Amino acid sequence: MENIHPLAESYSFKTRVRVCGLLIHNNTLLLARHKAAFVDGSFWIPPGGGLEYGEKVKDCLRREFKEETGLIVEVARFLYLHEFLKPPLHAIELFFEVKLVSGELLMGSDPEHSLEAQLLEEVRFLSVRDMFALQREELHPVLHGLVNMDDLFIPRFDFLS
């Protein structure tokens, strides 16, 4: 088991359901940069977050997009499930295609943390080339090996291993 960032401790030793959205614009993917949970540095991940008890999955994704990015999105088709397990963190992540409805991109915040103690550091659109320039550990595993944006929309089941 590895040491984790103090701000990520509240997610430890429990299984969390995360709902994530893939939003493409001008052949770039919207990503959120967070403080890395296990190492110094950052971690780029599609916007999304934890499903609350009694909340519908699509409502969660719309809420998380609004909180993190300021954007209003329409949740489209379900794409795949990814299981993240690196003790003490465990997450089941549901990935959906999303379409922009309205809003202006801005860095939001996570209401689970105070404004002075946010994991979220930046939101922006990255190209495949931008992602290739990152270190592997800085990029969510579903984005590893991405050759073009169309690859994101091919349902995959190999993330369950």
Side-chain angles (χ1 to χ4, degrees):
M1 183 169 61
E2 297 191 40
N3 291 330
I4 64 170
H5 192 286
L7 291 176
E9 285 179 357
S10 63
Y11 307 116
S12 297
F13 300 105
K14 54 184 144 191
T15 303
R16 186 169 183 234
V17 176
R18 290 190 76 252
V19 186
C20 306
L22 301 175
L23 175 61
I24 304 289
H25 178 70
N26 292 333
N27 208 32
T28 60
L29 175 65
L30 182 60
L31 294 175
R33 181 170 55 95
H34 294 263
K35 289 179 175 69
F38 293 102
V39 295
D40 289 335
S42 300
F43 186 67
W44 290 91
I45 186 169
L51 182 67
E52 296 175 359
Y53 177 78
E55 185 177 36
K56 292 187 176 194
V57 170
K58 288 184 176 185
D59 292 339
C60 172
L61 189 50
R62 285 188 287 266
R63 174 182 54 78
E64 288 289 345
F65 252 81
K66 181 69 173 154
E67 287 173 0
E68 290 184 2
T69 71
L71 300 176
I72 306 297
V73 296
E74 172 190 331
V75 180
R77 64 189 164 131
F78 172 73
L79 296 169
Y80 35 85
L81 176 145
H82 176 260
E83 182 175 28
F84 177 87
L85 179 55
K86 187 172 182 179
L89 301 179
H90 187 193
I92 303 298
E93 299 173 310
L94 308 173
F95 283 82
F96 289 84
E97 177 181 12
V98 297
K99 309 276 187 193
L100 179 62
V101 173
S102 65
E104 185 175 324
L105 182 63
L106 55 88
M107 190 180 86
S109 62
D110 189 340
E112 297 168 0
H113 301 285
S114 70
L115 290 177
E116 300 78 35
Q118 291 286 307
L119 288 169
L120 184 63
E121 297 178 318
E122 179 182 6
V123 291
R124 72 177 159 109
F125 286 93
L126 275 74
S127 68
V128 171
R129 180 178 294 238
D130 296 331
M131 288 183 248
F132 271 125
L134 298 171
Q135 297 294 317
R136 187 173 176 86
E137 63 273 4
E138 292 178 297
L139 196 60
H140 191 285
V142 300
L143 304 173
H144 293 175
L146 190 65
V147 175
N148 63 58
M149 292 300 170
D150 292 337
D151 292 346
L152 290 170
F153 301 106
I154 299 169
R156 295 171 280 184
F157 302 100
D158 58 343
F159 296 115
L160 299 176
S161 56

